Amino acid sequence: MLKFGTSAYLKLISLNTKPQRTELRKRIIPSDDAYDFHRSLRLHAHRLLAKGESIESVLETARQIARAPERTSVQAGLTALLNWRGLHPAETFEVPPHTFSSPNEVFKVNFSADFGTVINGQRCAVHLWNTKKPPLSEHLTVATLSTFKQNYSELDHLVVLSLLDSQIIWSADDAKYVSVGRDLSLRIENAILGVEEELRAPASEKRFPPVPPHPLA
């Protein structure tokens, strides 16, 4: 069974059909080259917000990251996070992760919040987004967050905070969005099964399935 982290799933649902299938192939076929440098941002943010380490200490560690793209991404993300926190100085709290299983248990998504805090009087679990491409699909992100929110009755919202532009995408207490989130997970299931079948087929028989004619409502 495929397992996705929160950012990996949000990236997947925001991709068009062809790059989405390419991404799924990378997931299905093991690779030693896979490296998620965005995890480094999460670790630095956790030290800053959950462990209470000093800003200077965390930024100094970020400056010592060997890989230039990773170092640049982490430094820019931390700067944006500190600026956002300056405008939203409420106390933080921990939010336990929760694993969401797709309707037919083809894949799982581990929803993990980087921290919890109060935004506009609402208790929120915040997941950080710091990926330039693809741009997040706001509609599908709301639907996904709304589906995951059903497991967090103690919170008002699950939100994604984009460190690229300080945009916040909120979950919605609306059955319509939950329904879209479920339908989306079914489409991802079908895509996974389609890629797996294609990979099992002889080379001469491999082909892409037709692109769905209509996007999710």
Side-chain angles (χ1 to χ4, degrees):
M1 180 185 296
L2 285 185
K3 296 181 181 179
F4 300 96
T6 311
S7 285
Y9 188 67
L10 294 178
K11 175 183 178 181
L12 184 69
I13 65 174
S14 297
L15 290 168
N16 293 326
T17 301
K18 188 173 181 179
Q20 185 180 84
R21 291 178 68 83
T22 300
E23 187 69 22
L24 286 174
R25 281 192 199 90
K26 293 178 183 178
R27 287 272 170 174
I28 294 170
I29 302 173
S31 171
D32 293 333
D33 297 329
Y35 180 71
D36 180 14
F37 64 68
H38 297 296
R39 180 173 179 271
S40 185
L41 171 66
R42 312 213 124 69
L43 294 175
H44 281 77
H46 181 77
R47 287 169 51 198
L48 187 67
L49 298 175
K51 293 189 174 181
E53 291 190 33
S54 69
I55 295 172
E56 294 77 11
S57 173
V58 174
L59 292 178
E60 176 58 30
T61 303
R63 283 192 288 269
Q64 297 174 13
I65 295 173
R67 301 185 188 210
E70 178 184 1
R71 181 173 63 251
T72 300
S73 176
V74 171
Q75 288 178 320
L78 288 174
T79 299
L81 176 59
L82 289 170
N83 289 338
W84 185 85
R85 285 287 296 159
L87 298 173
H88 301 82
E91 291 186 7
T92 61
F93 54 87
E94 290 195 27
V95 178
H98 183 86
T99 300
F100 165 83
S101 295
S102 64
N104 297 301
E105 298 191 348
V106 173
F107 68 90
K108 291 184 178 181
V109 181
N110 182 51
F111 176 79
S112 57
D114 292 290
F115 61 96
T117 192
V118 176
I119 308 173
N120 300 336
Q122 307 288 303
R123 284 177 58 83
C124 300
V126 181
H127 179 80
L128 300 175
W129 174 262
N130 198 40
T131 303
K132 292 182 180 180
K133 292 182 180 180
L136 276 178
S137 166
E138 182 172 354
H139 177 64
L140 298 183
T141 298
V142 172
T144 297
L145 292 175
S146 301
T147 303
F148 295 165
K149 168 61 175 63
Q150 297 177 101
N151 299 299
Y152 289 95
S153 59
E154 73 277 15
L155 297 173
D156 296 305
H157 287 283
L158 307 186
V159 307
V160 170
L161 168 61
S162 170
L163 297 177
L164 304 174
D165 54 12
S166 296
Q167 178 189 12
I168 297 178
I169 301 178
W170 302 72
S171 62
D173 292 323
D174 188 328
K176 178 185 72 174
Y177 280 106
V178 174
S179 177
V180 171
R182 184 180 186 280
D183 290 345
L184 175 60
S185 64
L186 288 170
R187 287 186 62 175
I188 296 299
E189 284 189 334
N190 288 334
I192 292 171
L193 296 175
V195 170
E196 289 178 338
E197 181 178 357
E198 180 185 311
L199 291 172
R200 287 193 297 268
S204 60
E205 298 179 10
K206 291 182 180 180
R207 61 185 179 84
F208 289 112
V211 177
H214 301 294
L216 287 170

